[in-house]
Amino acid sequence: MEDTPMPEPLWRAVHQLVSETVQQCQEVLRYTEPDQAYDWQRMTLYRATDAADTMDMASMLIAAYCQHAGMSKDKLESYLQLSQQHTRAAGPTGADRAHVAGLLSEDPPAGADRPGLVRMRYGRGERQAEKAHRPEDDP
């Protein structure tokens, strides 16, 4: 299975889903523009979650094929990176809030002084905020 190309119908379906995702991501960027200030929160969240859901469909389609073709459960779960999976239904996590605090140059949240995800995401936000204050080479 590993040395055979993706079957044509699966290839076409994956390409269609990825193309839809790209369009949804482009809409996320469009709704960040200043002339969309009245609706940016709603539309960026709608389109970002649409994109995530569409990519999830692509992933599950590929996973279903791999399962159908006889891939072991352990290998499939490894490739799906299940340990990274979390649900949007739970809402933003402490790491997400830490990222925002870093982006907005606010005080670090609890836990940002210890190694781990919260500290990493706060630092990422800080770096992104610093870059935002520098002129872009290619706007």
Side-chain angles (χ1 to χ4, degrees):
M1 180 182 100
E2 290 184 25
D3 58 347
T4 61
M6 183 181 282
E8 180 77 15
L10 179 60
W11 181 87
R12 289 179 184 271
V14 169
H15 275 248
Q16 177 62 39
L17 290 168
V18 171
S19 294
E20 287 177 32
T21 302
V22 169
Q23 289 176 320
Q24 292 158 342
C25 289
Q26 287 173 329
E27 287 186 41
V28 170
L29 294 176
R30 172 68 186 112
Y31 284 106
T32 65
E33 296 299 324
D35 66 327
Q36 298 295 318
Y38 66 94
D39 214 15
W40 74 265
Q41 291 116 334
R42 179 174 68 92
M43 294 309 296
T44 54
L45 286 171
Y46 279 167
R47 294 303 166 254
T49 55
D50 288 346
D53 289 343
T54 305
M55 283 308 298
D56 194 48
M57 286 191 307
S59 297
M60 291 301 104
L61 187 62
I62 295 166
Y65 171 77
C66 291
Q67 191 176 48
H68 172 78
M71 182 178 283
S72 74
K73 183 179 184 226
D74 290 341
K75 185 181 276 190
L76 184 59
E77 288 178 1
S78 168
Y79 288 175
L80 286 170
Q81 304 178 75
L82 296 181
S83 64
Q84 296 178 21
Q85 179 63 34
H86 66 277
T87 177
R88 290 191 307 264
T93 65
D96 299 319
R97 288 186 288 277
H99 196 158
V100 168
L103 282 171
L104 301 177
S105 301
E106 295 178 351
D107 291 335
D113 57 339
R114 297 186 306 273
L117 185 60
V118 171
R119 178 179 176 178
M120 182 189 77
R121 294 284 300 276
Y122 181 77
R124 180 182 293 166
E126 284 183 313
R127 288 187 299 281
Q128 289 172 325
E130 289 168 8
K131 286 181 183 178
H133 294 295
R134 292 186 223 137
E136 289 187 60
D137 293 334
D138 184 16

